[in-house]
Amino acid sequence: MTDLAKKFADYQEIYTKGKYVTFKSEKVKVMFHGKFFRFEGVKDVITEEQENILVEWVASDYLEEVDFKFYHEFDRNLTPDSFTLDVTEDKVITVKTKNLRGFRYAMEAFNLLFEKIETGVACPIISLSHHVSFNMRGVIEGFYGIPWTHQDRVELLSYLGQNRLNTYMYAPKDDEYQRKLWRELYPEENLVKFTELVEKAEKEMIDFYYMISPGNDIDYTKPEEVKVLTDKLQQMINLGIRNFGLLLDDIDYILKGNAKKKFSSSASAHAFLIAEVDRFLASELADYDLVACPTEYDNHHDSLYLEILNRELPKHIPLFWTGPSTLATQISTKDIEIMSASYERPIVIWDNIPVNDYQKDYELLFLSPYENRSPKLTNKEFDVVGIVSNPMAQWEMSKFTVQNMSKYLWNTSAYKVSQSWTETLTEYAGSDYYEALEVFTSFNPNKYTREVYTLEQLTKIEAKDEAYITAELAKLAAASEKLATLPNEAFQKNVGPWLERVKKDVAYWEVVKSGDVTKVKEMKEELSQYPHRIGSDLVAKYVEETGLLK
């Protein structure tokens, strides 16, 4: 692979003969011509974050000689967020996009063009083209348990922007105003935080969705109930939010009382409510998006509920699907073939990885790649408009899977799990910490997408190979000690209890090797009270498989 091919490996089409234009100066002077919207100027679209130390931007009315002329043009034939970039021998750079987010991504490629050389600056003659695989790419904060902090969300929005993700959905199950107290308006202190998030999302070009979950106790038959719901949404509209979600997941959908008299099925009631919300949003906003989560959100087959819901619901409203199970081990081509035919409308995949809110999963960290998802989810006939990850309560530790997923969503056809995982860990921790992080993550797999124990580990445990387990624990302990020095405060705060658990497991192993059954029982009981566990717990597996305590 050539140097240019490596540099621009994130993009689908790269055309170059390796020819450069060079300039005998410390900076290249580039004149900006904005043709995307009327009076588009360089200061309107190029932020400080996009500045390049090798480039000096000047306005189109600049009278002196420049090195390059740069044109930004609108191309309606491109898909949202996609772009083309061309550098010609006559020193003209042309970027075409369909939206300004596409321009942001084009500028990332633009800043890779210029290279410092001994005599000045060099720029390749090159043509780039990238068509983003999914229109909607991001995160839904949709887990049970303690929601993220406000600062987590602010940092999250920056992170999404940096990783070419474009969607954040606010849906924490334990925000009482979002679910339990959905009828009550948010107090002023909450609105101040929402305003900050909306402004941050706008700066990062992230689509901010407010999701609400009234399904546990709303009375579908009362107009005043629907009015309470829409008043709550109006409060969000007043903050500048124009993207919404109506969530009817995890509710008892057996109709009772007046609802049972008015509607023939829960699907009809749900279609009615979603349509009412859609009509309200259309009356208040010229442009908006609404997505809904049905009660049957994890089917791997068609159903009467879905048939009725799809028949009675306006076709432009996408529905969520988590895959063929709530915590989907895989989403195969066959799975999406079945469900796209059942949904008969746009689908947003609510992907419940790496979430750890099911039963006692909160004791674990799920640190695995984004895998077992068909590359054919991008096929037009399936109408999958996007995928959002539902992360762990530990946002910092969720970054590994989310960042890995961003590569899949950006360029699905080029996504290679092993290669991208290596890149993800290296980008996060740097080369000095890569090996330690690779070891630690391998001991904390996502049990829903891969096996908890490797074949080698199971074979060695069955053979009672104590030397092997000792060596594996020593490797994990050394990795943990190294990671304890990684200079990242958020990482240390999130991972600290699990690094401490490694020390406890090493001590437990010494007791197990001693053969003192009484002490083994005591320490096993002690560890059961510690609410953090290593996923691939070799000591516990050894004790279980060898029957030491029987």
Side-chain angles (χ1 to χ4, degrees):
M1 184 182 289
T2 66
D3 290 341
L4 283 177
K6 289 179 181 177
K7 184 183 286 189
F8 295 101
D10 281 353
Y11 308 106
Q12 290 162 340
E13 295 186 64
I14 312 163
Y15 302 106
T16 178
K17 292 183 178 179
K19 188 174 182 179
Y20 289 78
V21 288
T22 59
F23 305 91
K24 294 182 179 180
S25 56
E26 292 187 359
K27 282 193 173 187
V28 175
K29 192 166 288 187
V30 182
M31 179 184 288
F32 181 90
H33 294 270
K35 301 170 69 177
F36 187 85
F37 58 85
R38 193 179 187 203
F39 303 133
E40 178 188 14
V42 62
K43 293 182 179 179
D44 296 320
V45 290
I46 297 178
T47 64
E48 290 184 8
E49 291 85 355
Q50 294 169 338
E51 292 285 355
N52 187 316
I53 61 171
L54 299 178
V55 174
E56 178 185 347
W57 290 97
V58 297
S60 58
D61 58 356
Y62 185 78
L63 298 179
E64 297 180 24
E65 186 177 347
V66 296
D67 299 310
F68 271 112
K69 291 183 178 179
F70 180 104
Y71 295 90
H72 178 210
E73 301 178 0
F74 171 76
D75 187 342
R76 70 176 62 193
N77 295 314
L78 289 172
T79 56
D81 295 4
S82 300
F83 70 89
T84 62
L85 185 156
D86 293 291
V87 182
T88 62
E89 291 188 58
D90 57 355
K91 300 176 183 176
V92 172
I93 300 172
T94 304
V95 167
K96 295 182 180 181
T97 68
K98 190 180 182 71
N99 60 6
L100 288 177
R101 192 157 49 211
F103 182 74
R104 172 178 180 160
Y105 302 148
M107 290 307 298
E108 293 174 3
F110 171 87
N111 282 328
L112 295 174
L113 292 173
F114 301 95
E115 184 177 334
K116 183 72 174 173
I117 57 176
E118 288 185 10
T119 58
V121 179
C123 176
I125 306 302
I126 193 169
S127 290
L128 296 174
S129 178
H130 190 83
H131 298 268
V132 183
S133 298
F134 291 91
N135 287 344
M136 180 188 289
R137 311 176 304 281
V139 161
I140 180 167
E141 183 184 349
F143 52 83
Y144 290 91
I146 299 174
W148 288 330
T149 66
H150 179 65
Q151 193 53 46
D152 280 338
R153 296 181 185 122
V154 172
E155 196 275 333
L156 160 79
L157 291 168
S158 293
Y159 186 83
L160 296 180
Q162 292 161 8
N163 286 277
R164 302 175 185 140
L165 297 168
N166 65 11
T167 302
Y168 167 64
M169 294 179 169
Y170 179 90
K173 293 290 196 294
D174 290 322
D175 168 5
E176 291 194 333
Y177 291 99
Q178 191 270 344
R179 194 173 181 90
K180 183 179 178 181
L181 303 179
W182 66 268
R183 291 179 176 85
E184 297 186 20
L185 295 177
Y186 282 98
E188 183 61 29
E189 62 188 78
N190 295 65
L191 298 181
V192 170
K193 292 179 180 178
F194 274 124
T195 298
E196 184 178 346
L197 293 177
V198 170
E199 290 174 352
K200 180 67 173 178
E202 183 175 356
K203 180 181 178 183
E204 295 291 341
M205 297 185 175
I206 304 301
D207 295 332
F208 185 101
Y209 280 74
Y210 176 76
M211 327 294 278
I212 193 163
S213 303
N216 277 319
D217 59 1
I218 191 169
D219 189 332
Y220 301 99
T221 67
K222 293 182 178 179
E224 59 268 31
E225 282 277 88
V226 177
K227 179 68 164 53
V228 170
L229 175 58
T230 57
D231 282 349
K232 184 71 166 279
L233 298 182
Q234 183 67 58
Q235 191 182 36
M236 298 293 107
I237 290 172
N238 293 344
L239 299 179
I241 296 172
R242 59 177 58 254
N243 304 306
F244 295 91
L246 185 61
L247 307 183
L248 300 168
D249 56 317
D250 300 346
I251 63 173
D252 178 5
Y253 66 147
I254 304 301
L255 296 180
K256 302 176 179 68
N258 291 332
K260 189 174 182 179
K261 296 175 184 177
K262 180 172 180 177
F263 299 102
S264 62
S265 68
S266 58
S268 291
H270 295 171
F272 166 79
L273 184 62
I274 297 168
E276 285 291 297
V277 169
D278 186 58
R279 277 191 285 272
F280 167 75
L281 294 176
S283 71
E284 294 294 319
L285 297 166
D287 300 294
Y288 69 95
D289 279 304
L290 173 65
V291 60
C293 187
T295 305
E296 294 186 10
Y297 56 78
D298 57 357
N299 284 23
H300 57 276
H301 52 76
D302 202 355
S303 71
L304 179 60
Y305 173 89
L306 290 178
E307 196 272 336
I308 296 172
L309 184 67
N310 279 294
R311 184 179 68 233
E312 299 185 8
L313 194 63
K315 291 297 183 185
H316 67 272
I317 301 175
L319 290 177
F320 278 120
W321 179 56
T322 63
S325 59
T326 305
L327 297 152
T329 295
Q330 65 182 36
I331 303 177
S332 69
T333 304
K334 187 64 177 177
D335 293 326
I336 190 60
E337 284 176 351
I338 293 170
M339 295 316 297
S340 66
S342 302
Y343 269 49
E344 300 177 314
R345 67 182 54 249
I347 296 173
V348 177
I349 295 177
W350 175 326
D351 207 342
N352 277 318
I353 60 171
V355 70
N356 61 347
D357 64 350
Y358 181 66
Q359 295 183 351
K360 296 187 74 174
D361 286 348
Y362 60 83
E363 296 183 352
L364 300 166
L365 292 175
F366 292 150
L367 309 179
S368 292
Y370 191 75
E371 56 193 340
N372 300 333
R373 272 61 183 154
S374 170
K376 294 184 179 180
L377 293 178
T378 59
N379 287 12
K380 287 185 178 180
E381 66 266 26
F382 299 144
D383 208 6
V384 177
V385 295
I387 301 178
V388 289
S389 159
N390 189 17
M392 296 183 282
Q394 297 80 15
W395 161 237
E396 188 69 22
M397 305 309 290
S398 300
K399 287 181 178 179
F400 304 114
T401 302
V402 171
Q403 202 259 11
N404 205 230
M405 179 189 76
S406 74
K407 298 175 183 291
Y408 169 91
L409 298 177
W410 174 252
N411 192 4
T412 305
S413 62
Y415 181 72
K416 300 291 185 289
V417 174
S418 179
Q419 176 184 328
S420 66
W421 188 239
T422 298
E423 292 171 356
T424 291
L425 299 185
T426 303
E427 289 170 19
Y428 182 89
S431 57
D432 288 346
Y433 287 90
Y434 165 77
E435 186 175 346
L437 190 56
E438 194 280 327
V439 169
F440 186 77
T441 57
S442 72
F443 275 86
N444 290 279
N446 188 326
K447 67 181 184 179
Y448 297 103
T449 57
R450 55 174 49 191
E451 294 300 321
V452 174
Y453 300 97
T454 66
L455 177 61
E456 180 184 35
Q457 288 170 342
L458 293 174
T459 302
K460 295 294 187 180
I461 288 172
E462 184 179 4
K464 299 183 180 180
D465 190 336
E466 294 186 357
Y468 171 83
I469 297 174
T470 299
E472 287 293 286
L473 288 175
K475 183 170 67 173
L476 176 59
S480 299
E481 289 176 14
K482 175 72 173 178
L483 291 176
T485 67
L486 195 154
N488 181 320
E489 184 178 347
F491 175 85
Q492 297 301 339
K493 182 179 179 180
N494 271 197
V495 81
W498 282 272
L499 298 182
E500 189 63 29
R501 175 64 191 234
V502 172
K503 296 177 184 178
K504 294 179 181 294
D505 284 349
V506 170
Y508 183 33
W509 176 238
E510 292 302 314
V511 172
V512 169
K513 285 196 296 181
S514 74
D516 189 326
V517 175
T518 300
K519 288 186 177 180
V520 171
K521 286 182 178 179
E522 289 175 354
M523 196 158 189
K524 180 183 178 183
E525 176 60 26
E526 179 185 330
L527 286 177
S528 71
Q529 304 304 310
Y530 189 76
H532 309 282
R533 295 180 287 127
I534 300 301
S536 301
D537 190 340
L538 298 183
V539 186
K541 190 68 173 174
Y542 179 88
V543 171
E544 176 190 343
E545 293 297 321
T546 58
L548 182 63
L549 297 181
K550 290 182 180 179

